[in-house]
Amino acid sequence: MRKFTWTISVIVFIAIMVSACGQKNEAASSNENLTVKIGLLKNVTHAPAFIAIQNGYFQKEFGSNVKIEVTAFDNGSDFSTAIATHQIDLGFVGPGPAINQYLKSKNFRIISGSNNGGAVLIVRTGAGIKSVKDLAGKTVAIPTKGSTNEISLRLLLEQEGLKVTTDSSGVQLITRKPADTLVAMRQKEVDATLIPEPWGSQMVQEGTGEVLVDWDRIPPNNGDYPLTLLTANDQFLKEHRDLAIKAIKANIQGIDFITQDPSKSYDLISQELKELTGKGMKPELIKAALDHLKLTHEVQPDAINVMAKVSFDAGYIKGIKENELDLSPFIDLSLLDEAVNNK
């Protein structure tokens, strides 16, 4: 009887091991010849992603069987459309356009933070603007409608009792890509801009503009608000949750690399910008950008909810009532918890 029991135990043990190996091989094979499509913006505020790409953190985490394809976007609206329509699997974007798109499609999630702050309010040199109140009757450039920068600008104007209008009674907004805003400021076509770094620092260095509100006084939370978040679409999370967690780890490694020794990151960030745009960036401009933001993998749901309310009031969120602005399903921090705790 003892011999029979021992024999059964061995058979059960072998069966369990074979099953476990089979499951492991099945999981491994599911990533064979897989291409993970990562999206990001051509901004230094996406520096952790740049470092994670340049230092091979994504590739190391995903494994050699996974191919990585990087797509760069000019603005968050285009990125958000791409992730909602499965043109990309995961990537980095600001909360403003992400919120607007999520409430339409509800098929992607915020899974980690990347950096907070990083935008400044610049006024054109010689425009006679000495305070935010002086923006009344002026034209202010933003990267795109519904962008995180526009949300911050609207909050800033609201604090000073100013309204966004289409005439000289308030503040007029126009959309310009950051590079085009730089030209517009030089040509005196716009009076001010709330813009991500290092564009603001570049305007200051060349004498085109002056800082009116520095990054650590931009609302909400005086610069400590999400500007770049890591997101992933639902299909990718369902089929490759393990890789999404590994992407978070790669993002955190990028943050740690910059935090521990920023000077080592300048050339890498410039190189990634060159690959994305065809042009690198001077180290002093990259330093200015990194000095004007807070790198963090943490996410602030309260700040995101405030931004959603601003987008709603601005008319960018349609088809729902204000009390239906429930973003709790949009922010899934369970993967971040697993990544940080090495589960």
Side-chain angles (χ1 to χ4, degrees):
M1 180 62 71
R2 290 181 180 177
K3 183 177 181 181
F4 175 77
T5 302
W6 180 85
T7 303
I8 292 297
S9 298
V10 171
I11 293 173
V12 170
F13 174 77
I14 292 173
I16 292 173
M17 292 302 294
V18 169
S19 175
C21 290
Q23 291 174 359
K24 183 177 181 180
N25 290 335
E26 182 180 348
S29 63
S30 68
N31 292 337
E32 288 284 350
N33 302 318
L34 175 68
T35 297
V36 176
K37 299 177 181 179
I38 301 175
L40 44 73
L41 272 61
K42 307 169 187 176
N43 295 338
V44 180
T45 49
H46 289 237
F50 292 178
I51 295 297
I53 292 168
Q54 286 289 316
N55 280 352
Y57 297 149
F58 285 117
Q59 193 67 71
K60 180 181 177 182
E61 289 292 337
F62 292 165
S64 58
N65 292 330
V66 175
K67 180 182 177 181
I68 296 173
E69 184 178 296
V70 177
T71 301
F73 296 87
D74 290 320
N75 59 70
S77 297
D78 291 343
F79 171 98
S80 299
T81 299
I83 198 168
T85 55
H86 302 109
Q87 297 174 52
I88 55 176
D89 300 309
L90 56 85
F92 300 79
V93 69
I99 291 168
N100 298 343
Q101 180 60 55
Y102 168 76
L103 289 170
K104 298 176 186 176
S105 61
K106 296 188 177 179
N107 64 349
F108 66 103
R109 301 284 182 272
I110 293 170
I111 60 174
S112 174
S114 190
N115 90 57
N116 287 2
V120 291
L121 178 61
I122 300 292
V123 296
R124 179 170 51 81
T125 301
I129 302 172
K130 302 300 181 182
S131 69
V132 174
K133 287 186 179 296
D134 292 337
L135 291 175
K138 304 294 185 180
T139 301
V140 183
I142 51 173
T144 186
K145 287 289 186 180
S147 65
T148 306
N149 295 142
E150 181 185 353
I151 290 173
S152 288
L153 178 61
R154 284 179 176 272
L155 284 169
L156 192 61
L157 296 176
E158 184 180 316
Q159 290 175 4
E160 299 297 329
L162 297 177
K163 294 184 178 181
V164 174
T165 63
T166 56
D167 56 37
S168 60
S169 65
V171 180
Q172 300 179 64
L173 303 186
I174 62 170
T175 58
R176 292 287 187 278
K177 296 178 182 178
D180 293 338
T181 298
L182 181 62
V183 175
M185 291 282 278
R186 290 169 179 165
Q187 297 177 347
K188 301 182 179 181
E189 294 176 357
V190 298
D191 303 302
T193 178
L194 204 154
I195 196 167
E197 286 284 38
W199 298 101
S201 291
Q202 185 169 347
M203 292 175 191
V204 172
Q205 288 183 15
E206 68 177 33
T208 305
E210 302 169 354
V211 176
L212 183 65
V213 182
D214 213 343
W215 77 278
D216 56 359
R217 292 194 292 122
I218 297 291
N221 298 341
N222 291 323
D224 192 12
Y225 60 89
L227 188 73
T228 308
L229 297 161
L230 177 56
T231 61
N233 68 49
D234 287 356
Q235 180 177 330
F236 186 78
L237 290 174
K238 180 180 179 181
E239 298 175 356
H240 303 288
R241 180 183 174 89
D242 60 323
L243 294 183
I245 293 172
K246 291 177 179 179
I248 295 173
K249 291 182 178 180
N251 172 52
I252 292 174
Q253 290 172 49
I255 291 172
D256 290 343
F257 184 92
I258 299 170
T259 302
Q260 291 168 11
D261 194 343
S263 61
K264 290 182 179 179
S265 67
Y266 301 156
D267 287 343
L268 294 172
I269 292 171
S270 180
Q271 179 60 34
E272 184 62 22
L273 279 172
K274 186 175 182 180
E275 292 178 17
L276 296 175
T277 67
K279 186 178 181 180
M281 185 172 289
K282 295 179 180 179
E284 56 266 28
L285 286 176
I286 296 175
K287 180 181 186 302
L290 296 180
D291 287 346
H292 292 172
L293 54 81
K294 175 184 175 183
L295 298 172
T296 178
H297 62 263
E298 296 179 353
V299 179
Q300 297 175 324
D302 289 346
I304 293 173
N305 287 328
V306 168
M307 292 178 172
K309 177 64 167 57
V310 175
S311 287
F312 180 86
D313 291 342
Y316 294 126
I317 298 174
K318 303 180 185 296
I320 64 173
K321 298 178 180 178
E322 184 176 344
N323 59 6
E324 296 173 338
L325 281 175
D326 180 14
L327 296 179
S328 54
F330 181 40
I331 307 171
D332 184 356
L333 302 184
S334 64
L335 293 93
L336 178 59
D337 290 339
E338 289 186 48
V340 171
N341 295 322
N342 295 315
K343 292 182 179 179

